[in-house]
Amino acid sequence: MVRHECGFEAPIYCKRCGRPLENNERTGLYCPHCGRRVSMLCPGCGRLW
């Protein structure tokens, strides 16, 4: 489960390898397995994750 700063929490998986993403304040959403960085809008507040 990844938690956004607005409080929205959801499981988000990498499209490339299918593993769960992690949230880092400095880099944002990323996959620790393949290194992919993800940009997406939060469904809870509409801001960039």
Side-chain angles (χ1 to χ4, degrees), residues 1-17:
M1 294 286 261
V2 181
R3 184 179 181 99
H4 190 244
E5 59 190 21
C6 73
F8 181 79
E9 195 171 10
I12 304 172
Y13 299 96
C14 181
K15 285 185 180 179
R16 192 179 294 164
C17 67

Side-chain angles (χ1 to χ4, degrees), residues 2-3 5 7 9-11 14-15 17-19 23 26 30-31 33-35 38-40 42-43 45-46 48-49:
V2 181
R3 184 179 181 99
E5 59 190 21
E9 195 171 10
C14 181
K15 285 185 180 179
C17 67
R19 296 184 185 211
N23 191 18
R26 191 171 57 99
Y30 74 99
C31 178
H33 178 70
C34 67
V38 180
S39 296
M40 67 174 277
C42 174
C45 66
L48 193 62
W49 205 293

